[in-house]
């Protein structure tokens, strides 16, 4: 079964389509239809506004984090506070010579990072993979610091149901950015838990990442993916052990997000690396579905979600293709590996 989103956005067209009603859907729609002058210099969905590229940090041989600050010094609009709390969202970044734009997913504010007087982070950060021959990703990777970059948004990709209790997130490559947004949003939801399965082509993309399911649970904690999956420290592979020392930037940020939710051990991550011949298997998914169902009984609708995010091939492999209907990209039927599995009432959403 595919979870019907309340809001869908067609990233490359600039069209926002509201399919349902909800608190956030209503807010997003008003924001889209009622622009005012104050929005012209701060991020808004109607016009591209200039940002300054203030720093560029290489995270792996192919990806970097780009930190952008509004050039006019405008703070992030009120609407962003809501989208951070309740949704997966993106902005469009423009390549000015070709006049084309692509969608990118802001990383959540750094845990313990600088904030303004309203407790808001002032910068937007993006993890961008440089695609071979890709127009916009190559463009931003070539820009020197202090360059101007134009952004438009926010565009809500998916709204988290208010009663969501469990999220299993299948992320491929930069698909980790929306996973981090969800982890950030769930931090404000007591009792919500999340497990991320993150697949990368190379270890360099997730250097130092150690799967929680391979760790011995901390003393005094009776619950954790490590304990429920029955895996102990002996399962630590040599490949993994080799990378214990040096953590990549995204791995460190995932650790910080985990630390934020540590009291109740609400976030856990498993790493998979193609070049190490470690791939997400249906069994990795089935274990989590089984464990959760055993613990809590039958779930109310919308309370358990499997989110799938990454390159088109990754989404297609796990959940089938998204499809175009009347000029809009929609979920389409559930396909791929997940359609062959007993999902025990979990709903699937393709990002
Ligand atoms: C909602 C959303 C959020 C996203 N968030 C992120 C994010 O946070 N980080 C991130 O890195 N990406 C993200 N993406 C992907 C991003 O929007 C771009 O699609 C990606 O960066 C590639 O864009 P590009 O302009 O560089 O490449 P494009 O120019 O669109 O090319 C893409 C690929 O197709 C190939 N290609 C292009 N034209 C042809 C052709 N005629 N024949 C054969 N091959 C061709 C190119 O060589 C390249 O490999 C997101 C996408 C969406 C929809």
């Amino acid at each position: 079964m595919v979870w019907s989103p309340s809001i869908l956005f067609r990233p490359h067209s600039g069209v926002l389509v509201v399919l349902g009603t909800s608190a956030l859907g209503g807010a997003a729609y008003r924001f889209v239809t009622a622009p005012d002058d104050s929005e012209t210099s701060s991020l808004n969905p109607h016009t591209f506004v200039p940002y300054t590229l203030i720093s560029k940090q290489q995270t792996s041989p192919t990806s970097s984090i780009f930190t952008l600050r509004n050039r006019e010094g405008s703070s992030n609009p009120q609407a962003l506070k809501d989208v951070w709390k309740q949704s997966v969202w993106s902005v469009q970044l423009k390549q000015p010579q070709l006049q084309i734009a692509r969608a990118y997913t802001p990383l959540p504010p750094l845990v313990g990072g600088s904030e303004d007087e309203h407790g808001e982070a002032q910068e937007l950060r993006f993890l961008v993979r440089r695609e071979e021959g890709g127009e916009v990703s190559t463009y931003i990777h070539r820009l020197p610091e202090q360059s101007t970059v134009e952004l438009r948004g926010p565009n809500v990709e998916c709204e988290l149901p208010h009663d969501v209790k469990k999220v299993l997130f299948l992320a491929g490559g930069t698909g980790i950015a929306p996973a981090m947004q969800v982890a950030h949003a769930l931090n404000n939801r007591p009792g919500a838990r999340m497990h991320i399965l993150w697949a990368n082509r190379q270890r360099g993309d997730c250097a130092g990442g150690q799967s929680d399911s391979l760790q011995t649970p901390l003393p005094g904690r009776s619950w954790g993916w490590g304990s429920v999956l029955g895996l102990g420290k002996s399962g630590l592979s040599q490949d993994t052990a080799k990378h214990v020392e040096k953590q990549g930037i995204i791995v460190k940020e995932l650790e910080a997000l985990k630390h934020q939710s540590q009291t109740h051990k609400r976030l856990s991550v498993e790493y998979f690396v193609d070049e190490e011949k470690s791939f997400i298997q249906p069994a990795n998914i089935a274990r989590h579905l089984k464990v959760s169902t055993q613990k809590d009984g039958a779930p109310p609708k919308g309370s358990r979600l499997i989110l799938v995010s990454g390159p088109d091939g990754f989404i297609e492999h796990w959940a089938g293709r998204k499809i175009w209907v009347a000029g809009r990209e929609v979920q389409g039927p559930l396909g791929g590996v997940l359609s062959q599995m007993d999902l025990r009432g979990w709903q699937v959403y393709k990002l």
Side-chain angles (χ1 to χ4, degrees), residues 80-87 89 106-109 124 181 184-185:
L80 279 197
K81 288 185 189 161
D82 296 331
V83 292
W84 273 126
K85 280 186 205 144
Q86 302 172 60
S87 51
W89 61 286
L107 293 170
L124 291 177
Q181 285 189 343
H184 174 75

Side-chain angles (χ1 to χ4, degrees), residues 56-317:
K56 218 168 143 176
Q57 279 173 294
Q58 193 168 352
T59 58
S60 77
T62 50
S63 300
S64 294
I65 294 179
F66 297 85
T67 303
L68 307 181
R69 184 177 293 153
N70 185 284
R71 211 175 63 187
E72 307 299 324
S74 297
S75 60
N76 288 330
Q78 173 64 33
L80 279 197
K81 288 185 189 161
D82 296 331
V83 292
W84 273 126
K85 280 186 205 144
Q86 302 172 60
S87 51
V88 174
W89 61 286
S90 67
V91 300
Q92 287 189 308
L93 189 151
K94 184 158 89 175
Q95 205 288 22
Q97 288 96 22
L98 297 173
Q99 289 290 309
I100 55 170
R102 300 281 185 259
Y104 294 97
T105 309
L107 293 170
L110 282 171
V111 176
S114 62
E115 294 171 342
D116 68 6
E117 70 272 21
H118 308 294
E120 288 275 289
Q122 286 305 289
E123 283 100 27
L124 291 177
R125 302 182 309 129
F126 301 91
L127 173 68
V128 180
R129 180 183 156 80
R130 193 181 57 242
E131 292 291 343
E132 191 77 29
E135 299 291 0
V136 180
S137 61
T138 308
Y139 160 77
I140 187 166
H141 272 268
R142 284 197 186 130
L143 285 180
E145 288 181 2
Q146 301 308 319
S147 299
T148 297
V149 179
E150 292 184 73
L151 301 181
R152 181 170 72 178
N155 304 313
V156 173
E157 307 293 339
C158 133
E159 189 179 336
L160 292 170
H162 68 277
D163 60 347
V164 68
K165 288 282 178 280
K166 296 230 154 61
V167 175
L168 178 60
F169 201 115
L170 275 61
T174 55
I176 194 65
M180 290 164 76
Q181 285 189 343
V182 174
H184 174 75
L186 292 187
N187 259 332
N188 297 317
R189 309 227 187 156
R193 290 181 197 277
M194 177 174 184
H195 186 70
I196 301 172
L197 303 174
W198 186 22
N200 280 295
R201 297 173 210 201
Q202 300 169 340
R203 175 51 74 172
D205 292 317
C206 58
Q210 281 188 67
S211 294
D212 285 308
S213 58
L214 297 176
Q215 289 171 343
T216 305
L218 295 173
R221 294 222 168 80
S222 58
W223 195 93
W225 288 108
S227 57
V228 290
L229 299 182
L231 297 164
K233 208 172 185 174
S234 57
L236 197 70
S237 72
Q238 282 190 341
D239 278 333
T240 309
K242 207 164 57 187
H243 295 284
V244 166
E245 305 283 296
K246 194 169 169 282
Q247 286 182 337
I249 298 171
I250 295 294
V251 170
K252 276 190 192 146
E253 293 197 17
L254 284 167
E255 287 299 314
L257 281 165
K258 267 199 254 175
H259 191 73
Q260 246 183 352
S261 69
Q262 201 178 30
T263 333
H264 306 293
K265 204 142 175 65
R266 295 189 307 198
L267 173 65
S268 48
V269 185
E270 265 177 280
Y271 296 88
F272 301 85
V273 181
D274 290 5
E275 69 178 5
E276 292 171 4
K277 307 261 179 295
S278 126
F279 305 101
I280 302 175
Q281 302 287 347
N284 300 106
I285 295 164
R287 272 187 208 126
H288 292 287
L289 308 185
K290 197 170 158 195
V291 166
S292 294
T293 311
Q294 279 170 351
K295 267 177 75 76
D296 307 334
K301 199 164 184 260
S303 68
R304 290 168 190 199
L305 293 178
I306 301 174
L307 299 175
V308 188
S309 172
D312 289 348
F314 181 86
I315 295 177
E316 196 178 330
H317 172 77

